[in-house]
Structures are given as structure tokens and as C-alpha cells.
Amino acid sequence: MSYFAWLEKAVAEAIAQKRIGSPVSLRAFFHLSADHGVLLPLLGEALGAAGVWFAAPAVRVYALGGARDGQVTALVEYAAGQTALVSVATLHDPAPLADLLLIGNHGTLRYQDQPDYRPADRANAKLLQAIEKSLAGQAPVEVAP
């Protein structure tokens, strides 16, 4: 099982247990690979997992940075009004790091890990296109339905 498939399932189980109520906001950052080429797919996987947790598709994205720069950050709005601020960056330290804070209407869920990440090609193509368009235009863009 890929790292994000596992993470998506673990967080979804915590949500199903009503530990935080309904998720409304996510702040996360991931330093999982030294390979600049996996930053956008990694970001896409993270934002796709957020859509599962929010039970809503992404509708608007504003991304800054770039794979060549070694860091990409996206602010994403989901259909039911939830937001996610997710940053991915190249790994400079020997240990990878995943850190997320999911805020619900009745609590929070904090998760930190040092995972062994391997790209799994699970990112939504339309979301990746919107991220790339936002990076190119340095402006928010709508995510195609």
C-alpha cells in the first residue's frame, strides 16, 4: 500500500470515529523525497486525500513555488467550503517528514511521521493541471469538474 493510500485511510478512520467532528481545514507539509520531479505528484496525492477527508472535490487552487525551486505550496478550496494549505518540498535532511493538522468543527487531529515515500501516481489529473496552470499564471484557477 502506498504511503498516501495508508494515510488517507488512517485519517478517514479517525474522522469516521467522530473524533474531530466535520473536517473544515487542513494545514500540512511534506518533505519526503530529494527528487524535484515528484513534488507535483506528491502535492496532488496530498490534496486528493484532503478531498476524501472533506468529502468534497477541489474547486479552486492557488499554487506558488515550483518543482525547480524545490518547494510548491497550494491553497485549495473544496466544494463544501473547506480549505487546505499544503506545502511539499525536497528533502534536505536525512529523515523524511510528514506533518499535518486537520481541523474539525469539534476538535483537531495532528499527525507527524517519518515515512518511506514512493510515488504511487494517485494524483487527480484535473487537480494537477489546475496546480500547473496556477503556478504558470501565479494566480488562483478553477479546477475543472
Side-chain angles (χ1 to χ4, degrees):
M1 178 181 285
S2 75
Y3 175 69
F4 275 97
W6 174 84
L7 180 63
E8 182 180 301
K9 181 179 176 189
V11 173
E13 287 173 1
I15 293 167
Q17 295 170 2
K18 306 286 187 197
R19 291 175 38 193
I20 64 168
S22 297
V24 295
S25 184
L26 171 70
R27 191 266 316 140
F29 61 90
F30 300 95
H31 299 260
L32 302 180
S33 174
D35 182 356
H36 292 241
V38 302
L39 291 181
L40 291 181
L42 194 156
L43 181 60
E45 285 186 87
L47 294 171
V52 170
W53 302 330
F54 293 145
V59 294
R60 187 172 297 108
V61 61
Y62 182 39
L64 295 171
R68 188 178 0 191
D69 299 330
Q71 179 171 341
V72 182
T73 299
L75 176 62
V76 180
E77 179 184 342
Y78 291 82
Q82 306 97 328
T83 58
L85 179 63
V86 178
S87 182
V88 297
T90 53
L91 177 64
H92 296 288
D93 294 327
L97 176 64
D99 187 320
L100 69 87
L101 176 66
L102 183 62
I103 301 166
N105 61 349
H106 294 296
T108 61
L109 173 67
R110 178 82 186 261
Y111 182 80
Q112 292 180 313
D113 193 11
Q114 293 182 322
D116 181 20
Y117 173 74
R118 287 174 181 62
D121 197 28
R122 297 180 66 236
N124 177 302
K126 291 179 182 179
L127 183 54
L128 278 177
Q129 289 173 343
I131 292 168
E132 290 170 350
K133 187 175 178 182
S134 179
L135 287 170
Q138 296 183 334
V141 298
E142 302 296 319
V143 178

